[in-house]
Amino acid sequence: WDWPDWGDKADMTAIENAWYYYALSTVEEIAGILGKDEDILFITDAKDVIAKGYQALWTDDGFKSEDVKNPDDRANALAVFATASYVGATASECETGIAAFSGAGRRFEYKGIFNGAKVYDDYGHHPTEVAATAKALNNKQFNESWVVFEAHTYSRLKNHLNEFAEAIAKFDNIILLDIYAAREQNTYDISSKDLATAIESLGKKVLYMPDFDEVVSYIKANTKDDDIVITLGAGTVTKLGPMILQ
């Protein structure tokens, strides 16, 4: 059967991803845990349960849990709803549990507010993660977005330079730190300036600021009410949020 028509507010990407995660990716694991044999009814029923989950969790203002922000979170919430329902939880219990979800650490994690601008921290260090974080902004109301990005390893930036540029270019204001080396030596002849050049080729202005104190001063001097600031990366960039909020 086809999905019900819920109009413009339906997040079909989350619905379809949830069905995939739940009914296709985890069906064998769930069936094994429950001691049940995998069968076609289990897969077919997933659509019905996820449809009910979507109706229970969605409101005119979005998902009921403020921390279920991006498409992956929404898909996961629906998959959790379906799995919990399958093992006997009621719709009300599923809704209460998901509403209590406070968000994964360093995944669009709210850190605080200063001068009317909200600060978030995110662990994204692969182009797809960066793009997902940028897309999650579509679910929030704000003035302008700011990203302070720290690339993680020379090899990853070298191999995905254009993908990183395209993802980061989705933010309104862009600041680049030096690359976080982790385990590597820079044998790849790459730097954050190369990323800046790639982003600028897409028509976006970029600031290269390797000094954390300089970044903090610039952010504090230039952000406005209702702006969103995201520190993004898997390295030391996570230290910036508390510095900005001091």
Side-chain angles (χ1 to χ4, degrees):
W1 57 270
D2 294 328
W3 291 107
D5 182 6
W6 287 310
D8 294 337
K9 291 186 179 297
D11 188 342
M12 290 307 298
T13 299
I15 294 169
E16 292 167 357
N17 284 348
W19 181 80
Y20 177 80
Y21 296 156
Y22 171 73
L24 300 182
S25 298
T26 64
V27 63
E28 292 181 357
E29 295 178 25
I30 295 172
I33 292 170
L34 298 174
K36 298 178 182 291
D37 293 329
E38 179 183 0
D39 57 46
I40 192 64
L41 290 177
F42 183 72
I43 296 176
T44 304
D45 288 347
K47 276 195 172 185
D48 292 301
V49 180
I50 289 171
K52 292 176 183 176
Y54 188 86
Q55 291 168 323
L57 299 174
W58 183 263
T59 70
D60 288 343
D61 297 322
F63 260 50
K64 291 183 179 179
S65 172
E66 170 62 20
D67 292 297
V68 181
K69 299 180 180 71
N70 62 48
D72 285 337
D73 283 339
R74 293 179 176 185
N76 289 336
L78 288 168
V80 166
F81 187 102
T83 305
S85 297
Y86 186 77
V87 298
T90 66
S92 178
E93 289 170 337
C94 294
E95 180 182 335
T96 300
I98 293 172
F101 175 67
S102 60
R106 300 215 61 210
R107 288 301 188 189
F108 218 116
E109 181 181 2
Y110 177 69
K111 306 300 293 186
I113 189 169
F114 76 98
N115 295 336
K118 293 181 178 179
V119 179
Y120 294 85
D121 185 44
D122 194 279
Y123 188 73
H125 57 287
H126 189 275
T128 55
E129 297 171 333
V130 174
T133 299
K135 187 174 181 179
L137 287 170
N138 296 334
N139 301 315
K140 304 190 73 65
Q141 294 183 342
F142 60 93
N143 178 39
E144 289 188 350
S145 62
W146 294 73
V147 65
V148 183
F149 180 69
E150 180 184 52
H152 187 269
T153 71
Y154 304 107
S155 59
R156 181 176 286 113
L157 183 59
K158 181 75 172 183
N159 292 331
H160 301 284
L161 182 65
N162 292 332
E163 294 97 323
F164 272 118
E166 291 172 1
I168 295 170
K170 298 181 186 299
F171 295 92
D172 297 319
N173 301 279
I174 303 164
I175 298 175
L176 299 182
L177 302 172
D178 277 332
I179 299 169
Y180 184 75
R183 61 194 175 276
E184 294 184 343
Q185 299 293 322
N186 190 6
T187 59
Y188 299 88
D189 191 27
I190 190 77
S191 75
S192 291
K193 292 182 179 179
D194 296 305
L195 178 56
T197 299
I199 297 171
E200 287 170 345
S201 72
L202 300 175
K204 297 300 292 283
K205 179 181 178 181
V206 183
L207 295 175
Y208 166 64
M209 290 186 183
D211 184 80
F212 277 31
D213 290 331
E214 183 181 4
V215 172
V216 170
S217 296
Y218 188 87
I219 290 287
K220 288 186 173 182
N222 290 279
T223 51
K224 303 178 181 64
D225 283 349
D226 296 322
D227 280 0
I228 284 182
V229 179
I230 301 176
T231 56
L232 187 59
T236 56
V237 66
T238 189
K239 297 178 180 179
L240 268 175
M243 292 174 64
I244 294 170
L245 294 171
Q246 286 180 351

